[in-house]
Amino acid sequence: MKAEFVNPIYQATSDVLNTMLGLEVTRGDLRLVEDDAIVGSDANVIIGLTGSLNGSIHYSFSEEMTLEMVRIMSGMEMDEIDKFVSSAVGEIANIISGNATTYLAENDFDCDIVSPQIMIGKNKSFSMANDQALVIPLETEIGDFEINLSVKESE
C-alpha cells in the first residue's frame, strides 16, 4: 500500500482528534492483512471510498474509548453505546474520512466518501473491500484503536 494513501488517512485522523477532542495520536507499526476478514472491536465504522481510489476505511474503537470520545465532545457521561453514541462515533469517522479526501486530493487522488455504516458489538468480523488491508494501529491517552485501510487505485 502506497504512502500516498496511508499518510493522508493518518494526518486527517490526527488533525480531527486533536481539534475536536484535544487528543494527540501516535501511529504504531503498520501490518498487512491478506485474504482474511478483519475482526473489529466494540464500535466499528466503515466508510466506502470511491473515485481515484476504491475500497473502504474501517475504524475500530473499544467501548471505553468510544464512550470517552463522546463524553469529551458532548460533556455527557454515557454508560453504554446507544444510538446517540453510535451516531457521534459515526460522525467522527465521517469527518476524518472527509478530511482525508482533501489530503488525498493534494496527491492527485480525487475521491468521495460513502455514508458510514456503524456496527456495534464485540468481535464482529468484516470482509474487506479488496484482497488486502493495511492495519494502522493508533494510540491516544484515552485508548488505542485501529484503522483498516482496504483501497486500491481505480483502473
Side-chain angles (χ1 to χ4, degrees):
M1 187 124 355
K2 294 182 178 180
E4 291 89 358
F5 306 165
V6 178
N7 291 338
I9 304 295
Y10 173 68
Q11 186 63 49
T13 303
S14 182
D15 290 351
V16 169
L17 292 186
N18 187 275
T19 301
M20 287 182 68
L21 306 172
L23 299 174
E24 295 297 323
V25 178
T26 304
R27 187 172 75 191
D29 293 332
L30 307 176
R31 67 183 186 279
L32 197 60
V33 176
E34 295 189 51
D35 299 322
D36 204 1
I38 296 168
V39 177
S41 192
D42 301 307
N44 302 277
V45 183
I46 299 174
I47 297 183
L49 198 60
T50 63
S52 299
L53 300 175
N54 285 309
S56 62
I57 306 169
H58 169 225
Y59 302 86
S60 185
F61 302 97
S62 69
E63 180 178 23
E64 295 78 18
M65 183 172 182
T66 301
L67 295 174
E68 184 62 12
M69 286 190 302
V70 173
R71 185 198 63 76
I72 293 168
M73 283 175 51
S74 69
M76 298 185 307
E77 292 290 336
M78 308 300 288
D79 58 3
E80 66 179 342
I81 301 177
D82 59 12
K83 287 182 182 182
F84 177 80
V85 173
S86 297
S87 178
V89 76
E91 189 56 30
I92 291 169
N94 204 38
I95 293 168
I96 292 169
S97 300
N99 286 4
T101 62
T102 300
Y103 292 135
L104 286 164
E106 292 172 3
N107 290 322
D108 296 322
F109 295 108
D110 183 26
C111 300
D112 289 313
I113 57 173
V114 178
S115 296
Q117 297 177 0
I118 304 164
M119 273 101 8
I120 305 302
K122 294 186 183 299
N123 300 319
K124 301 233 183 255
S125 62
F126 305 94
S127 296
M128 298 180 296
N130 297 300
D131 56 353
Q132 66 178 3
L134 183 68
V135 180
I136 308 168
L138 300 162
E139 300 173 6
T140 73
E141 56 263 32
I142 65 168
D144 301 344
F145 65 105
E146 289 184 344
I147 297 175
N148 299 284
L149 184 59
S150 178
V151 298
K152 64 180 181 180
E153 290 184 70
S154 299
E155 297 176 7

